[in-house]
Amino acid sequence: MLKLSDTFLKGRRLETMVENQTSYTLKNAAMHVFETHEQAEKVLLEFSQPVLASMIEGKKIMHLRDYESFDFLPGESLVLPANETMCIDFPEAKSKNPTRCLAMAISEEKIKNVLQFMNESITKDDEKEWSLMDYNFHFVNDPGIFQILQRLLFLFSENHPSKDFFVDNMLRELIIRILQTNERKIYTSSQMSINSNNRLSYVIRYIREHLDEPLNVEDLSKKAYMSPSHFYRVFKNELGISPIEFINNERIKLATGLLQNPRLSIKDIYMRCGFESRSYFNRVFKNRQQLSPGEYQAKVKTIRYS
C-alpha cells in the first residue's frame, strides 16, 4: 500500500473535506494527492493531460463514461485519457479514515517520447510497434510499479535542485511498465474484451462470483467446454496470465477491501476469499501488496484511529 510521508501530511493544507488537493508541478508531469474526509457522492474530476490514478487509502466507487461502475481500492491504478470526466462516490470516507488517491498527470509529449524510445530499443513478442495504452485501463499494481509510485511521492515533495531530472527518469520507467502491463490485458469486468467466444467470458464471471469456493483449471475448463490444456492456453493467450494467477489477483482484490473491516478476522477473510490456508494467503497477499495481511490490517487500523 502506498504511504504518504509524515512530512507531506504535516506540510499540506486541508481546505476542503471533499477531494482536498495538494499539487506539485514539474516540466513533464504534475502530481496531485486528493483527500476526502467525509462521505460524498457524484464528485466530478477531470484532467487536461493523461493521468495515472492510484489509490492510497480507503475506497472510491468510479463511474466512467461507457463503463460499468466499479470499486477502486488501495493497490490499484487506473489510466485515464485527457479530458475524461470521472464521477466518484466516497461511501466510507471519514475524518479519521479518509480516502486518499494519487493522480499523476503526464504530458502527452513525454508519453510519445517514451513510445519512440521503446520502438527503437524494446522488441515486442509479436514484433509489432508499441502504441498508446488503452485508456480507462484498471489494474493491480505490481511490485515494480508500486516502488516507482512510492519513489515519485518522495521526489515530487522533495526540495532538491535536480528533482526534475530524477522525476523524468522515473516517469520513463513508469510509462514503460504501464505499457507492458497494458499489453498483458489484465482488465476488470467492465473492460474485459475476449476475442474467442462467450465461453471464456462466462468462466471469468463465474470466477468472480465464486471466489469463496474451490476453483481449479479442470473444473473451469469443463464450464468452458474445453480440455484443460486447451482452456489453459486460450485463457493465458487472451489475458496474458494463467487461470490461477487471475484467480489469485481477484481474491487479493477482494481481500484488500475486506481487511478494512475491523470486525473481520484474518481467518474470516482468507476463507471468504477461497484460500485454503493462512500461509498461502499470506504469501500471495504479500507478493502483491508488499505487506502481510496482518501488517495491512494493522496499518488500516492505525490510520483509522489516529
Side-chain angles (χ1 to χ4, degrees):
M1 187 167 67
L2 294 174
K3 182 180 179 182
L4 297 174
S5 68
D6 292 338
T7 302
F8 170 86
L9 292 172
K10 291 176 182 176
R12 60 86 162 92
R13 296 174 59 186
L14 278 178
E15 298 177 340
T16 177
M17 297 299 285
V18 177
E19 289 291 67
N20 186 81
Q21 179 176 344
T22 304
S23 298
Y24 302 87
T25 302
L26 294 176
K27 180 181 177 183
N28 287 312
M31 185 186 80
H32 312 281
V33 177
F34 292 93
E35 301 177 74
T36 296
H37 291 253
E38 63 184 25
Q39 292 183 6
E41 293 183 346
K42 298 180 180 178
V43 178
L44 301 180
L45 189 62
E46 185 176 300
F47 295 92
S48 60
Q49 295 178 318
V51 67
L52 171 72
S54 299
M55 282 297 290
I56 301 174
E57 298 169 22
K59 170 183 172 180
K60 292 183 179 181
I61 299 176
M62 304 293 292
H63 310 277
L64 302 176
R65 177 174 50 86
D66 299 331
Y67 290 88
E68 294 179 8
S69 302
F70 60 91
D71 291 349
F72 195 24
L73 301 170
E76 299 178 357
S77 289
L78 177 68
V79 181
L80 294 159
N83 304 312
E84 171 85 7
T85 300
M86 295 173 272
C87 181
I88 309 169
D89 297 337
F90 301 85
E92 300 175 358
K94 298 178 183 177
S95 59
K96 291 186 177 181
N97 185 33
T99 297
R100 293 185 169 117
C101 182
L102 169 70
M104 193 73 62
I106 305 172
S107 73
E108 292 181 296
E109 181 180 0
K110 177 66 178 178
I111 295 172
K112 290 177 182 177
N113 287 341
V114 174
L115 274 172
Q116 182 178 348
F117 166 80
M118 292 178 74
N119 282 318
E120 292 172 353
S121 309
I122 304 173
T123 303
K124 286 176 64 176
D125 290 340
D126 60 9
E127 298 185 352
K128 294 181 181 178
E129 286 200 343
W130 292 96
S131 58
L132 283 175
M133 67 196 80
D134 288 333
Y135 288 110
N136 292 323
F137 176 41
H138 177 201
F139 61 97
V140 177
N141 296 333
D142 65 25
I145 289 176
F146 169 85
Q147 294 294 339
I148 294 171
L149 292 175
Q150 191 66 65
R151 179 69 176 159
L152 285 170
L153 275 169
F154 171 78
L155 288 175
F156 268 91
S157 56
E158 183 189 25
N159 185 21
H160 193 289
S162 300
K163 73 175 183 179
D164 233 323
F165 172 77
F166 297 152
V167 167
D168 216 46
N169 286 333
M170 295 301 294
L171 285 175
R172 182 165 81 165
E173 183 179 351
L174 179 64
I175 294 167
I176 290 172
R177 286 184 181 271
I178 291 172
L179 284 166
Q180 290 174 335
T181 301
N182 179 67
E183 195 67 20
R184 294 197 297 268
K185 299 180 180 178
I186 308 174
Y187 293 92
T188 61
S189 56
S190 61
Q191 299 156 306
M192 190 63 65
S193 177
I194 302 299
N195 294 325
S196 54
N197 56 38
N198 290 330
R199 288 181 291 174
L200 199 53
S201 297
Y202 167 75
V203 170
I204 289 164
R205 287 195 301 272
Y206 180 87
I207 290 171
R208 290 192 168 112
E209 292 168 2
H210 297 82
L211 289 173
D212 60 330
E213 301 174 11
L215 297 169
N216 58 66
V217 170
E218 185 173 355
D219 290 342
L220 294 174
S221 66
K222 291 177 182 177
K223 295 184 182 300
Y225 297 97
M226 301 178 190
S227 69
S229 59
H230 183 56
F231 170 74
Y232 183 94
R233 286 196 301 273
V234 171
F235 194 103
K236 190 163 186 177
N237 182 59
E238 291 291 347
L239 275 75
I241 54 175
S242 72
I244 298 304
E245 287 175 305
F246 179 83
I247 291 166
N248 282 338
N249 283 346
E250 295 298 306
R251 283 174 166 163
I252 294 304
K253 285 165 66 175
L254 175 60
T256 301
L258 293 175
L259 282 165
Q260 298 187 47
N261 185 341
R263 294 186 295 275
L264 295 177
S265 70
I266 291 179
K267 182 177 181 180
D268 291 333
I269 291 167
Y270 80 71
M271 292 183 70
R272 286 194 190 189
C273 296
F275 288 98
E276 295 181 358
S277 70
R278 177 161 179 172
S279 60
Y280 184 53
F281 173 51
N282 285 351
R283 188 164 66 251
V284 175
F285 191 94
K286 190 166 186 176
N287 178 260
R288 285 160 173 77
Q289 298 292 345
Q290 293 77 49
L291 293 172
S292 71
E295 291 169 336
Y296 184 93
Q297 193 175 54
K299 184 177 180 65
V300 170
K301 189 180 295 183
T302 299
I303 293 167
R304 181 168 289 162
Y305 294 107
S306 60

